[in-house]
Amino acid sequence: PRQPLRIQLYASLDGSVELLPGLSLEGEYQANIYDTFSNSVPAMSLLPHVRTDVVKYLTKGRYGFSNLMGVYRARLAPTLFGEIKAGYLENMYAGVGAQLLWRPDDERWSLGADIYQVWKRNFDRLFGLRHYHVLTGHVTLYYRSPWDGLNINVHVGRYLAGDYGATFEVSRRFMTDVEVGAYVTFTNVPFKKFGEGSFDKGIFVRVPLEALLPFSTQSSYNLYLPSLTRDGGQRLIGDDSLYADTMRTSYDEITRHGEKAISP
């Protein structure tokens, strides 16, 4: 509260190795260069500290793995995709879990489900685990509307603090493929127990790097700006990554970019 602006500059090395068809080992190692986290205020949350300990991971884990996991992806049917993950899934959590995605052709909607058993990682972001663990998962409806590039996602399930509720996301995707949106999450945690802010909300921006770089790339820059970091309504980072992974080859995406195709 006294110093709301924090800055960190770090370098990262990430990569993946395909061990077998569909089975890969993926990881990212980060090294801190400069930060201003030394005078942080301790979290006083009444809920399990599933996110408010994030600064401890950034100070005590200045050199560590952002993720290191085995991933198996498969196309179970023409419109059904599956994924299993195990290992260090993100900065704060390790565990094992699975996703399913039903993505019908020639439809604007998709339906996904995920479930993960996760353990909180040690603050040094190496290989140790803390005592806190939780089963988390959601069922998600994705809808890409025909109106002005508006997209709507609804996630319903159990969050990292053991609370139950729903997250609503609305975004607009422009012709440049830049996407801007907002989200809000309500769970069974009372506003008073949640703490300052009463419930989780924020905005996000996704910028494809194709138009900004002198070479072809499918990478993008994703910026999430929550109003503040609390523990209620928090999801595992990348819990529904299968939807994004299958986006580029989906029927809807190919149709959307059809006008950009150049005939010989």
Side-chain angles (χ1 to χ4, degrees):
R2 292 189 296 271
Q3 293 179 310
L5 181 63
R6 296 283 191 266
I7 297 173
Q8 182 187 34
L9 178 64
Y10 67 90
S12 69
L13 177 65
D14 66 271
S16 65
V17 177
E18 188 172 24
L19 305 176
L20 294 169
L23 178 64
S24 62
L25 178 65
E26 303 176 2
E28 179 180 4
Y29 184 83
Q30 296 180 346
N32 187 77
I33 298 174
Y34 172 79
D35 70 67
T36 59
F37 296 134
S38 58
N39 297 320
S40 298
V41 178
M44 302 298 291
S45 177
L46 299 177
L47 296 170
H49 291 193
V50 296
R51 286 299 180 201
T52 50
D53 281 342
V54 62
V55 175
K56 293 183 180 179
Y57 287 89
L58 298 175
T59 54
K60 298 182 180 182
R62 286 185 165 93
Y63 304 91
F65 291 97
S66 174
N67 62 74
L68 183 63
M69 56 189 171
V71 182
Y72 178 73
R73 300 181 181 91
R75 191 165 193 163
L76 306 176
T79 59
L80 182 64
F81 303 85
E83 179 179 83
I84 299 174
K85 294 180 181 179
Y88 300 90
L89 305 176
E90 52 140 293
N91 279 311
M92 295 181 65
Y93 291 94
V96 60
Q99 301 177 45
L100 285 175
L101 177 68
W102 181 26
R103 195 162 201 158
D105 286 343
D106 203 16
E107 296 288 351
R108 293 188 173 273
W109 58 270
S110 301
L111 187 64
D114 60 83
I115 187 168
Y116 294 88
Q117 177 67 51
V118 297
W119 287 261
K120 198 171 179 182
R121 296 176 61 183
N122 278 352
F123 296 137
D124 59 10
R125 295 197 301 157
L126 294 177
F127 301 107
L129 301 176
R130 302 181 67 80
H131 295 299
Y132 182 79
H133 59 91
V134 66
L135 182 68
T136 180
H138 294 81
V139 174
T140 303
L141 175 65
Y142 308 92
Y143 181 66
R144 307 184 72 181
S145 82
W147 312 296
D148 298 322
L150 289 177
N151 301 318
I152 301 170
N153 301 334
V154 181
H155 310 266
V156 179
R158 192 183 196 208
Y159 295 82
L160 288 172
D163 47 338
Y164 294 86
T167 299
F168 304 89
E169 299 178 2
V170 179
S171 65
R172 184 180 181 188
R173 189 176 178 191
F174 297 90
M175 289 299 296
T176 58
D177 286 339
V178 173
E179 187 174 4
V180 179
Y183 67 90
V184 60
T185 299
F186 294 100
T187 72
N188 60 343
V189 174
F191 288 173
K192 185 176 181 180
K193 189 175 182 180
F194 181 93
E196 183 183 359
S198 299
F199 55 91
D200 191 48
K201 62 269 192 185
I203 62 175
F204 58 88
V205 180
R206 300 187 180 104
V207 181
L209 300 181
E210 177 77 26
L212 304 178
L213 298 175
F215 51 83
S216 179
T217 177
Q218 295 183 352
S219 300
S220 63
Y221 176 72
N222 302 320
L223 175 65
Y224 279 81
L225 293 173
S227 59
L228 73 167
T229 299
R230 303 298 294 175
D231 293 311
Q234 298 300 312
R235 293 166 53 202
L236 184 71
I237 295 175
D239 60 353
D240 64 340
S241 56
L242 193 56
Y243 180 76
D245 291 343
T246 58
M247 173 77 74
R248 300 184 187 101
T249 57
S250 66
Y251 179 88
D252 180 72
E253 191 74 0
I254 294 173
T255 302
R256 183 175 183 273
H257 290 279
E259 68 276 6
K260 298 180 180 179
I262 300 176
S263 300

